[in-house]
């Protein structure tokens, strides 16, 4: 196995969260502890992303940048962002690894939880037996010194180079055989590292070898900070300049490995007995290692429901398996504390399982959050299914150019799948536009895309046409999410139908009110003439009670009045569909002659009336409207008849392709059309104030003939004549 593989394997098995990035921050490697620390399950989820995505940008980021720029390292607290977006306060240590040309090759990131950090040097010592073989496999000379320049660690390559044993070198201050000027220069550089806290690189450092020859090394000396930021040691990596392989980044990675919640235990005759732990153990459970020994061991504070887990893990440890377990302990305070325990069995020089090293973490808050999240998810699912709406969660689909080309179903409630007519399991993961092209045809896809891109919600009503699984009227709300949209969709067909029914009722009511108004107008206006006629005839009858002609005329007027009242009653009768009056056939000439019987007065006796209408001409219309229209025009003809000459009224018909045109012409006083044309058919308009009238007749006439689909036109010359042309639609058996 090459050095790279050895180091990566060591890092993967490390209990610390470690990541390595390129100079610009793009991550190229993470270990398993990093994935566990931030809640990821696969390295593919992290590798390729930028390191600053995993902490919250703040002034810390500026501090990190400044520190890395000035000293090549950073040590401090940050807020890390887990995969589930929760925040974790951590202690972070970042370091820069440089090449021989002093260019940045890697940035190494190491995370520890704030409440449980431990110094790097202590952690390395705790795991020295574990990492010693790895460091000894590196051909570079690796050694550590304290502030008095005493050797605290050397690797095998360093000892071999000097021709001594590792144990003989550790504790010594300098190599006596070395040249004094070399030693003075070492001390000068070492002092600078301790005082300034900066990494120093010596491109060509001389050293007197055991063979008496001076050799030159490319040496990097780096300060080692404890958990309080103090520099108590430095680590040096020296490489013969003839060896071009640069393993500085890998060395830095190994020397900066840290662990939190460290403990050790002895394995004696198949029994695990804790013999040391960091101080954080008592902070977590309230017991020291000694306290736990006095109460009969760790097993006695395990939650009863989790003892089985511990027994299984102990069996794995005794078989030499590295592993992770999560369980609950009963703290001294009585609280239940969740522990995540990382443990690794160690072997002695004879290959016998003799010791256990591990790191524990208090994950109570994490478990509480997990429980609350689970409860929240259950509530969410219950709410989802109880909702009156169909609910769909959609995620975007992009092409190779990054363009959004569709959405896929991520989740939905049961109502959603029923609404689409397809089982939920057949919809999840499928594209909506492929399954339902209506999303493209009706522009829904573009609207959903706009919501996602602009983060602006959409609310609207729309129609699904016949031919689809659930045609009808719908109302939906579309909200943006981080990866797509969520749609709340409700079928409002019943509501729309009720609204339409209500609108119909309103229209019917309006029509009824309108007809009642028409009834009032017609009653007050049209009945005036026949009633006045009867009264006049009755006055004449008083002078000659035996005049049978007058009696017949009174009878005729009464019959005509009765006929008019029957037609008025029809005006108030609406068919079951509430949409129409019934049209009937009338014989035009007969109806005109009946209308003329109503006009018995001095003027009518002196007026010549010509009716030029074919005997068989039939009109299909609403009788009450026809009577009202003709009555109003005839009433005006008799009212405004000429006072200077014998009165004359001509009633005649013509036919066009679409209309029967009834013209009524009189030789009356006429109307000044230049002055009054714009007011001719308006309500309360009168053109001869000296003649009695209400100004309603022509207004009502225009309204009624237009309701029949016809029109009215007028021609007039002042002092000569006036002609009204009434256009009645031909035989069209449709109701209004």
């Amino acid at each position: 196995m090459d050095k790279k593989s050895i180091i990566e394997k060591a890092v993967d098995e490390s209990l610390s969260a470690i990541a390595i990035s390129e100079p610009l921050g793009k991550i190229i490697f993470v270990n398993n502890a990093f994935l566990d620390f931030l809640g990821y399950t696969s390295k593919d989820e992290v590798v390729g992303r930028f390191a600053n995505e995993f902490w919250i940008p703040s002034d810390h980021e500026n501090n990190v940048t400044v520190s890395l720029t000035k000293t090549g390292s950073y040590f401090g607290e940050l807020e890390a962002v887990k995969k589930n977006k929760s925040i974790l306060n951590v202690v972070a240590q970042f370091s820069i690894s440089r090449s021989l040309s002093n260019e940045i090759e890697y940035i190494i990131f190491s995370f520890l939880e704030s409440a449980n950090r431990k110094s790097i040097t202590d952690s390395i010592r705790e795991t020295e037996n574990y990492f010693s073989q790895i460091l000894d496999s590196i051909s570079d000379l690796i050694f550590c010194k304290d502030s008095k320049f005493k050797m605290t660690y050397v690797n095998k390559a360093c000892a071999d180079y000097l021709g001594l044993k590792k144990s003989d070198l550790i504790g010594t201050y300098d190599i006596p055989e070395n040249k004094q000027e070399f030693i003075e220069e070492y001390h000068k550089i070492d002092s600078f590292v301790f005082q300034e806290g900066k990494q120093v690189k010596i491109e060509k450092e001389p050293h007197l070898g055991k063979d008496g020859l001076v050799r030159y090394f490319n040496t990097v000396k780096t300060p080692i900070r404890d958990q309080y930021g103090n520099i108590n040691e430095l680590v040096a990596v020296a490489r013969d300049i003839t060896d071009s392989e640069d393993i500085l980044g890998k060395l830095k990675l190994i020397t900066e490995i840290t662990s939190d919640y460290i403990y050790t235990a002895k394995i004696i005759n198949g029994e695990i007995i804790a013999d040391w732990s960091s101080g954080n153990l008592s902070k977590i459970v309230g017991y020291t290692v000694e306290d736990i020994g006095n109460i009969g061991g760790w097993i006695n504070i395990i939650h009863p429901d989790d003892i089985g887990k511990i027994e299984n893990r102990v069996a794995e440890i005794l078989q030499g398996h590295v592993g992770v377990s999560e369980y609950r302990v009963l703290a001294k305070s009585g609280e239940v504390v969740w522990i995540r325990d990382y443990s690794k069995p160690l072997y002695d020089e004879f290959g016998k399982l003799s010791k256990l090293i591990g790191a524990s973490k208090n994950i109570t808050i994490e478990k509480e959050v997990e429980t609350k999240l689970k409860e929240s998810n259950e509530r969410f699912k219950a709410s989802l299914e109880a909702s009156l709406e169909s609910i769909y969660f959609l995620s975007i689909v992009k092409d190779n150019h990054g363009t959004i080309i569709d959405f896929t179903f991520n989740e939905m409630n049961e109502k959603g799948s029923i609404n689409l007519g397809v089982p939920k399991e057949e919809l999840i993961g499928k594209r909506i536009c492929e399954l339902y092209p209506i999303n493209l045809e009706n522009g829904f896809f573009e609207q959903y895309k706009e919501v996602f891109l602009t983060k602006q919600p959409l609310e609207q009503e729309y129609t699904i046409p016949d031919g689809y699984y659930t045609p009808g009227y719908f109302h939906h709300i579309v909200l943006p999410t981080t990866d797509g949209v969520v749609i709340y969709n409700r079928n409002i067909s019943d509501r729309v139908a009720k609204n339409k029914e209500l609108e119909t009722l309103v229209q019917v009511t309006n029509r009824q009110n309108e007809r009642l108004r028409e009834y009032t107008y017609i009653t007050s206006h049209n009945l005036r003439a026949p009633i006045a006629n009867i009264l006049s005839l009755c006055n004449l009858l008083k002078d000659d009670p035996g005049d049978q002609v007058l009696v017949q005329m009174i009878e005729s007027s009464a019959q005509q009045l009765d006929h008019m009242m029957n037609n008025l009653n029809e005006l108030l009768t609406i068919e079951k569909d509430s949409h129409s009056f019934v049209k009937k056939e009338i014989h035009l000439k007969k109806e005109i002659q009946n209308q003329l019987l109503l006009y018995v007065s001095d003027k009518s006796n002196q007026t010549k009336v010509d009716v030029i209408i074919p005997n068989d001409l039939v009109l299909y219309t609403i009788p009450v409207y026809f009577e009202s229209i003709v009555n109003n025009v005839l009433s005006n003809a008799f009212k405004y008849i000429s006072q200077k000459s014998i009165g004359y009224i001509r009633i005649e018909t013509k036919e066009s392709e679409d209309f029967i045109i009834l013209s009524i012409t009189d030789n009356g006083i006429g109307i000044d059309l230049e002055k009054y044309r714009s007011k001719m058919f308006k309500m309360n308009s009168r053109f001869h104030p000296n003649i009695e009238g209400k100004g309603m007749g022509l207004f009502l006439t225009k309204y009624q003939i237009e309701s029949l689909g016809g029109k009215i036109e007028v021609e007039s010359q002042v002092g000569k004549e006036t002609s009204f042309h009434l256009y009645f639609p031909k035989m069209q058996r449709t109701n209004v």
Side-chain angles (χ1 to χ4, degrees):
M1 182 181 293
D2 59 17
K3 295 174 187 175
K4 178 178 183 297
S5 300
I6 293 173
I7 293 171
E8 288 187 355
K9 183 176 186 303
V11 175
D12 258 346
E13 294 182 356
S14 167
L15 303 180
S16 297
I18 297 173
I20 303 175
S21 80
E22 296 174 345
L24 295 178
K26 185 176 181 181
I27 293 177
I28 59 174
F29 176 81
V30 293
N31 69 346
N32 293 324
F34 185 95
L35 301 178
D36 293 337
F37 190 71
L38 295 184
Y40 291 91
T41 57
S42 169
K43 292 183 180 181
D44 292 337
E45 294 179 272
V46 177
V47 173
R49 294 170 63 181
F50 285 88
N52 60 8
E53 293 180 37
F54 299 94
W55 67 74
I56 296 178
S58 65
D59 290 337
H60 289 302
E61 189 165 343
N62 295 330
N63 295 339
V64 170
T65 304
V66 171
S67 180
L68 287 176
T69 302
K70 289 185 176 181
T71 67
S73 64
Y74 168 81
F75 184 86
E77 293 190 349
L78 294 175
E79 289 183 316
V81 181
K82 301 186 72 173
K83 181 180 179 180
N84 62 7
K85 306 303 180 184
S86 62
I87 304 303
L88 186 66
N89 293 321
V90 301
V91 174
Q93 182 163 343
F94 304 161
S95 299
I96 290 175
S97 172
R98 297 181 182 272
S99 65
L100 291 175
S101 59
N102 203 35
E103 294 180 353
I104 297 175
E105 280 192 319
Y106 308 103
I107 302 175
I108 304 164
F109 304 88
S110 178
F111 295 101
L112 306 113
E113 192 168 340
S114 295
N116 306 291
R117 63 188 181 185
K118 187 168 179 63
S119 71
I120 297 171
T121 52
D122 286 344
S123 298
I124 291 174
R125 287 197 182 99
E126 291 299 334
T127 57
E128 180 178 2
N129 189 41
Y130 173 65
F131 294 114
S132 179
Q133 297 179 46
I134 298 170
L135 293 175
D136 284 346
S137 70
I138 299 174
S139 59
D140 292 321
L141 279 56
I142 302 172
F143 58 90
C144 296
K145 291 183 181 181
D146 64 15
S147 58
K148 298 184 182 300
F149 314 128
K150 182 176 68 175
M151 293 285 190
T152 58
Y153 174 80
V154 295
N155 72 340
K156 186 175 184 300
C158 185
D160 290 345
Y161 172 74
L162 296 173
L164 299 171
K165 294 181 179 180
K166 290 170 62 175
S167 57
D168 293 336
L169 285 169
I170 294 174
T172 62
Y173 288 87
D174 283 304
I175 306 303
E177 295 81 7
N178 210 344
K179 290 187 177 183
Q180 187 61 33
E181 63 264 33
F182 292 172
I183 294 174
E184 290 174 358
E185 185 63 20
Y186 302 158
H187 290 178
K188 180 179 177 181
I189 295 172
D190 293 346
S191 297
F192 178 83
V193 171
F194 282 107
Q195 293 170 9
E196 298 299 325
K198 296 181 179 180
Q199 185 184 75
V200 176
K201 297 189 177 186
I202 306 98
E203 296 294 330
K204 191 175 181 180
E205 184 179 54
H207 192 279
L208 185 65
K210 61 182 179 180
D211 55 4
L213 300 175
V214 175
R215 301 186 64 83
Y216 294 92
F217 291 83
N218 185 310
T219 304
V220 178
K221 296 185 177 181
T222 304
I224 300 175
R225 297 178 184 271
D226 62 18
Q227 68 268 35
Y228 305 107
N230 300 320
I231 303 171
N232 297 319
E233 292 181 283
L234 65 78
V235 58
V237 179
R239 182 189 311 159
D240 193 317
I241 60 172
T242 59
D243 185 0
S244 60
E245 182 183 3
D246 183 10
I247 60 167
L248 179 60
K250 302 180 182 66
L251 172 69
K252 286 280 293 174
L253 177 63
I254 297 302
T255 57
E256 290 170 2
I257 288 176
T258 58
S259 299
D260 54 352
Y261 298 91
I262 295 296
Y263 68 89
T264 59
K266 296 177 182 177
I267 301 176
I268 302 175
N269 298 325
E271 185 178 357
I272 300 174
I273 304 171
D275 61 357
W276 175 88
S277 77
S278 63
N280 285 324
L281 173 64
S282 60
K283 291 180 182 179
I284 295 172
V285 299
Y287 296 104
T288 64
V289 171
E290 291 75 16
D291 293 335
I292 292 172
N294 292 335
I295 62 175
W298 186 257
I299 194 70
N300 289 315
I301 66 169
I302 301 297
H303 191 284
D305 293 343
D306 292 339
I307 289 178
K309 290 182 182 180
I310 296 302
E311 290 175 345
N312 291 336
R313 178 61 194 135
V314 168
E316 292 177 349
I317 290 170
L318 295 177
Q319 293 176 10
H321 297 310
V322 177
V324 180
S325 58
E326 293 181 359
Y327 54 88
R328 289 163 290 179
V329 299
L330 302 175
K332 194 172 185 179
S333 64
E335 293 179 305
V336 175
V337 179
W338 273 95
I339 298 293
R340 178 179 292 132
D341 184 46
Y342 304 81
S343 53
K344 176 180 176 61
L346 300 177
Y347 296 85
D348 60 18
E349 61 269 28
F350 303 105
K352 181 182 178 182
L353 191 64
S354 61
K355 199 166 186 178
L356 179 70
I357 183 170
S360 297
K361 180 185 294 185
N362 182 348
I363 59 169
T364 305
I365 295 177
E366 183 179 327
K367 283 293 184 180
E368 289 175 354
V369 171
E370 182 181 313
T371 300
K372 289 178 180 177
L373 182 60
K374 184 177 180 180
E375 292 173 352
S376 177
N377 285 338
E378 292 301 321
R379 286 195 294 270
F380 170 73
K381 289 180 180 178
S383 300
L384 199 66
E385 295 305 328
S387 174
L388 297 175
E389 290 91 358
S390 298
I391 303 176
Y392 307 96
F393 292 84
L394 309 179
S395 61
I396 58 172
V397 179
K398 294 182 178 181
D399 62 15
N400 294 333
H401 304 290
T403 302
I404 299 174
I405 58 173
D406 208 337
F407 288 83
T408 57
F409 291 106
N410 274 351
E411 184 58 84
M412 68 187 66
N413 62 356
E414 189 66 22
K415 289 184 179 65
S417 63
I418 292 173
N419 186 54
L420 295 177
V422 180
K424 177 178 176 180
E425 57 271 16
E426 295 181 20
L427 291 170
I428 299 300
K430 301 295 177 58
R431 295 187 180 187
I432 63 169
C433 292
E434 288 184 356
L435 289 179
Y436 303 100
I438 191 173
N439 289 285
L440 287 173
E441 297 163 5
N442 284 11
F444 293 153
F445 167 69
E446 292 297 331
Q447 291 175 341
Y448 300 162
K449 186 167 68 171
E450 186 72 11
V451 169
F452 173 74
L453 294 174
T454 64
K455 304 305 178 187
Q456 296 298 315
L458 168 69
E459 183 173 3
Q460 67 178 2
E461 294 182 0
Y462 64 94
T463 304
I464 297 294
D466 292 336
Y468 287 88
Y469 182 75
T470 52
Y473 297 92
F474 295 85
H475 172 272
H476 72 182
I477 298 173
V478 186
L479 302 175
T481 62
T482 55
D483 62 347
V485 296
V486 58
I487 300 173
Y488 298 84
N489 197 43
R490 177 176 290 187
N491 190 325
I492 59 170
S493 298
D494 290 343
R495 190 191 79 187
V496 171
K498 289 178 181 178
N499 286 343
K500 286 186 175 181
E501 183 179 341
L502 180 60
E503 288 175 4
T504 301
L505 290 174
V506 170
Q507 291 171 1
V508 169
T509 303
N510 288 338
R511 283 197 297 271
Q512 289 175 329
N513 290 337
E514 189 63 34
R515 285 162 185 162
L516 286 172
R517 282 195 294 272
E518 291 176 18
Y519 180 85
T520 302
Y521 293 151
I522 294 172
T523 302
S524 63
H525 189 275
N526 293 7
L527 295 184
R528 199 160 44 242
I531 291 172
N533 189 40
I534 292 173
L535 291 173
S536 297
L537 291 170
C538 287
N539 287 331
L540 292 173
L541 193 60
K542 288 178 184 178
D543 297 334
D544 187 0
D547 190 337
Q548 292 301 310
V549 175
L550 289 175
V551 172
Q552 290 176 358
M553 292 177 69
I554 291 173
E555 182 181 7
S556 176
S557 295
Q559 289 175 348
Q560 187 65 19
L561 182 60
D562 181 65
H563 178 68
M564 184 177 290
M565 288 302 298
N566 289 333
N567 287 338
L568 284 172
N569 287 333
E570 283 195 15
L571 181 64
L572 297 178
T573 303
I574 301 174
E575 286 194 348
K576 291 181 181 179
D577 62 3
S578 302
H579 286 144
S580 61
F581 292 129
V582 177
K583 289 183 177 182
K584 294 182 179 179
E585 287 184 356
I586 63 172
H587 288 82
L588 197 56
K589 188 171 184 177
K590 181 180 178 182
E591 289 296 327
I592 294 296
Q593 289 172 337
N594 287 338
Q595 289 284 324
L596 288 171
L597 291 174
L598 298 174
Y599 296 94
V600 180
S601 64
D602 293 339
K603 280 187 179 182
S604 63
N605 291 333
Q606 299 170 7
T607 301
K608 181 182 180 182
V609 179
D610 285 337
V611 179
I612 309 169
I613 301 174
N615 292 330
D616 59 350
L617 185 58
V618 174
L619 182 64
Y620 193 69
T621 189
I622 299 174
V624 69
Y625 273 14
F626 178 81
E627 290 175 0
S628 179
I629 292 166
V630 172
N631 179 273
N632 283 324
V633 177
L634 281 176
S635 174
N636 284 340
F638 281 106
K639 186 185 298 183
Y640 299 114
I641 204 71
S642 174
Q643 303 292 329
K644 298 178 181 179
S645 60
I646 295 175
Y648 174 73
I649 296 175
R650 183 176 70 255
I651 305 171
E652 58 186 338
T653 57
K654 293 181 181 179
E655 292 190 53
S656 68
E657 184 177 352
D658 299 317
F659 297 97
I660 294 175
I661 305 164
L662 177 64
S663 298
I664 301 175
T665 304
D666 66 73
N667 66 339
I669 60 179
I671 304 171
D672 186 349
L673 293 180
E674 290 187 6
K675 184 177 181 180
Y676 295 114
R677 186 181 294 276
S678 62
K679 300 179 181 179
M680 178 66 64
F681 299 105
K682 291 187 176 179
M683 189 181 295
N684 300 321
S685 294
R686 298 184 62 215
F687 316 115
H688 302 289
N690 57 327
I691 299 177
E692 183 182 358
K694 300 291 186 179
M696 289 293 297
L698 291 179
F699 166 76
L700 190 59
T701 297
K702 183 175 185 295
Y703 170 79
Q704 290 170 335
I705 198 166
E706 287 180 352
S707 297
L708 294 171
K711 62 181 178 177
I712 182 171
E713 294 178 349
V714 62
E715 297 179 77
S716 185
Q717 294 182 8
V718 177
K720 291 186 178 181
E721 67 176 19
T722 300
S723 294
F724 283 91
H725 306 293
L726 306 172
Y727 289 74
F728 292 95
K730 284 190 172 179
M731 299 281 284
Q732 296 178 359
R733 295 183 177 271
T734 57
N735 297 331
V736 297

